[in-house]
Amino acid sequence: MRRNVDQRCLAEHASFDLADPLAHASPHAADYWRWARVADPVHWNAPTADRPGFWAISTHRHAVQVFRDAAKFSSERGNVLLTLLAGRDSAAGRMLAVTDPPRHTELRKVLAPMLSKRALAPVETPLRDRVRRLIADRIGTGPFDFAAVVASRIPIWTVCDLLGVPECDHDSLVTMTKRALSSNDQDQLAVDSAASRQEILLYFLEHVSDQRRRPGPNLVGELVQAHVGGVALSDADVIANCYSLLLGGEETSRLSMIGAMHQFAEQPALWEELRSSSTDLGLAIEEILRWCSPTMHFGRVAAADAKIGGRLVHEGDVVTLWIVSANRDEQRFVDPDRLRLDRRPNPHLSFGHGPHFCIGAHLARLELSVVLNEIRDIVRRVEPAGQAWPIYSNVLQGFSTLPLALD
C-alpha cells in the first residue's frame, strides 16, 4: 500500500520542475519538499527541451556529504543552477565560490582576514547609526515598505563601504543586485537578469581600475595589491570576488531581515519574545537564518562517479543541494516548521558547509544582529500593513515587499 501511495505522489510531483522560478513560489512547494525528503531524497530532476537534467538533494545528511567532499564534487562549473545548467561559470578559478582547491585554499587565505570578526569591528558603529536613523524616521508615521526602506539599503551600504564604493552609487547597485538573481515580476526575462549582472561587472571594472591607481583603505584596495601563490591578482580576479561579495553579502542579509520582520508582524508573541531580556539574540539570528534559508540551493558537478543515498551519480552530473529543504529536515531538527528563537543545537546550512562555508558569514550575522537589536530596542509593536509579495527565483527565496507599521 505504501509503495502505491509513493508512486501516486511521484506522479503528482513529477511536474514540479525545480529549475522553474514559479515552482518555488507555489503554495505547494513545502509539501513537495516534505514528500521528497521521505520518498525521493536524491531525486533526478528530468531534462527538458531547454535544459539538461540534474540531481536534487533534499535531506540534511546527504547535503552535508556533498558539501564535505570537494574532491568528488567540484564547484568550478558553477554553484547555482543559473551557471550549472549553462555548463560553465565564467568566473571559475577566479571567484572564491567557484574555485576548487588548491587555489581555493590560497584565495581564501587572502580574503578571510578581510572579513573576520576583528576586521569587521569598525563597521558596527556606523551600521548602528544608519539603522537607528532609518527606524526612528518611520516610528509612528504609518505604513511603509520595510523591504525598500531598510532591508534593501543596510546590507548594500555596508558591503559597498567595505568595497570602497562611493555612497552616490549605492542605490543603483541595489537595483542591479535585485535583478541579477531574482525578480519582483514573474514575467521578467532571463536577458534582463543577465544584463544586470553585466552592469555590475562593468561597474567594478572601473572601480578596480581606480583602486589600482590610488589604492584606498578598503577591501578592493587590499585585493589589488594581493598575491595568490606568488602571483598578483588580475583585474578579472578582483572583479569576480567583488561581484560575489556584493551579491552574496547583500542578498542573504536583506532577505533574512525581511523574512524575520514578516514573521514578527504575523506573530506578535514572537516579537515580544525577541524583545525579552532573556532572549539570546545570537541564537535567534541562527534560527532566523535557518527559517528563512534565503539561498535555496547550492550546486556542484560530480568530478567522478559517486553514490549518494544509494543512487549512482555519474561523473559530469550536476548535483544541487536544496538548503530550503535540508533546513527543515525532520531527521535533523525538532519541530522544523516552527520558528523557535531559542533553538539549540542549530546546524543549519544557510551558509553552506565544509571547505566552501560562506566567507561572508560574519558580515551577514553582524548586519542581522544590529538591525534586529536596534529595532527591538525602540519599537514596541510591529504590525502588518499590506500584502508581502514574493520574489521569483530558483536561487533565492523571500519577499520583494513588506508593508509594515512600527509603533
Side-chain angles (χ1 to χ4, degrees), residues 135-142 405-407:
I135 299 303
D137 287 345
R138 293 295 174 170
I139 292 179
T141 62
L406 304 179
D407 181 5

Side-chain angles (χ1 to χ4, degrees), residues 189-263:
L189 300 176
V191 68
D192 295 328
S193 296
S196 292
R197 293 192 294 275
Q198 189 65 25
E199 284 182 88
I200 295 171
L201 294 174
L202 289 173
Y203 177 88
F204 278 107
L205 178 62
E206 184 175 345
H207 183 51
V208 168
S209 179
D210 289 342
Q211 290 294 307
R212 288 233 184 255
R213 290 192 295 270
R214 298 179 299 278
N218 58 69
L219 196 145
V220 178
E222 294 186 45
L223 284 178
V224 297
Q225 302 173 79
H227 292 71
V228 172
V231 179
L233 293 177
S234 68
D235 284 0
D237 294 331
V238 178
I239 290 166
N241 286 287
C242 288
Y243 176 88
S244 179
L245 288 168
L246 183 73
L247 266 64
E250 194 273 341
E251 296 285 6
T252 300
S253 298
R254 175 170 64 88
L255 294 171
S256 294
M257 289 175 197
I258 297 169
M261 294 305 292
H262 176 260
Q263 287 299 305

Side-chain angles (χ1 to χ4, degrees), residues 338-360:
R338 180 182 163 206
L339 181 60
R340 292 174 46 182
L341 299 182
D342 62 348
R343 184 180 296 277
R344 186 188 300 188
N346 194 346
H348 68 79
L349 301 176
S350 295
F351 292 126
H353 186 83
H356 278 274
F357 184 81
C358 177
I359 200 167

